[in-house]
Structures are given as C-alpha cells and as structure tokens.
Amino acid sequence: MHARVFVPQEAVESWLNQGRADLTREVLTLDGNAFSAEPGVRFLAEVAGGADERRLIGRVQSNAQLDQLGAEHTHEAVLLGDNAYQVAEGYLLTLDPESARAPDVMARLTALFA
C-alpha cells in the first residue's frame, strides 16, 4: 500500500518558488524525494445550502475521481448535483513505501497538512 497525503497548491507553489521542489508532469521532487503528484481537491464546505449527503466535507478527491462522480470542477469550487462545494486545490502525493525514507518523509508531510 502506498502512503498518500494531500498538499495544498499554495504549499507546492511556495516550494517551487524557494527552489526546494520541481514539478514535472506528474512527479513532484521535494528535497530530493520523488512523489507521484495527482491533482485533486479537499472539500471545505457546502455553500449552496444543501445537505452534504455524500459526506465529502473534509475529504480529498483526485480530479479523476471528480470526473467519475460527474462533478463540475472550477477553481476552488465543485458542483455536484444540487450541491456546490468550496474546495482547496492541491495534489495527492504518493511516495513508494519501499523507499527507505518513506515513513519519515510521509509522517512529516502528514503532520504539516493533516
């Protein structure tokens, strides 16, 4: 099983601006550690006044999962049926657990963005 963590877009942009990271295609290299980086969102709130029947608030979904749900995704918003959600843009990072540094690296990232 691969460890995954959601990292907000702002953090990735900060790392890129500081020269700590490189994002090429679907790979983010941060401080010498390579992660697969899948675009996604964290659901923050339902803003249309509807019930969150799918229980998405607080959860993370990749853009591919949003497509499977039939969701309409625009910057910082997801429309799904009668619901409109405020979301945080970011990436789901995955580091191969076979990496000797995987537990330490993933624990530090999880602590930062949990």
Side-chain angles (χ1 to χ4, degrees):
M1 180 125 199
H2 295 282
R4 293 171 54 140
V5 65
F6 176 80
V7 176
Q9 178 71 34
E10 295 83 16
V12 173
E13 289 174 7
S14 175
W15 295 335
L16 293 170
N17 290 335
Q18 294 169 13
R20 292 182 55 198
D22 178 60
L23 182 60
T24 305
R25 297 186 191 187
E26 296 178 359
V27 176
L28 175 77
T29 304
L30 172 65
D31 296 336
N33 299 290
F35 299 87
S36 66
E38 185 175 8
V41 299
R42 173 177 280 157
F43 286 81
L44 302 175
E46 201 287 333
V47 295
D52 181 28
E53 294 174 6
R54 295 180 191 237
R55 298 180 185 209
L56 293 171
I57 297 172
R59 299 191 64 187
V60 173
Q61 299 284 309
S62 69
N63 288 357
Q65 290 171 312
L66 294 177
D67 289 343
Q68 290 174 348
L69 289 172
E72 192 175 324
H73 177 204
T74 61
H75 183 69
E76 297 186 1
V78 169
L79 302 176
L80 185 57
D82 292 335
N83 296 101
Y85 294 93
Q86 176 186 5
V87 296
E89 302 287 331
Y91 292 91
L92 286 85
L93 301 184
T94 306
L95 181 64
D96 186 341
E98 302 299 317
S99 169
R101 299 174 65 192
D104 180 52
V105 170
M106 293 309 287
R108 286 186 299 160
L109 282 175
T110 300
L112 285 173
F113 302 108

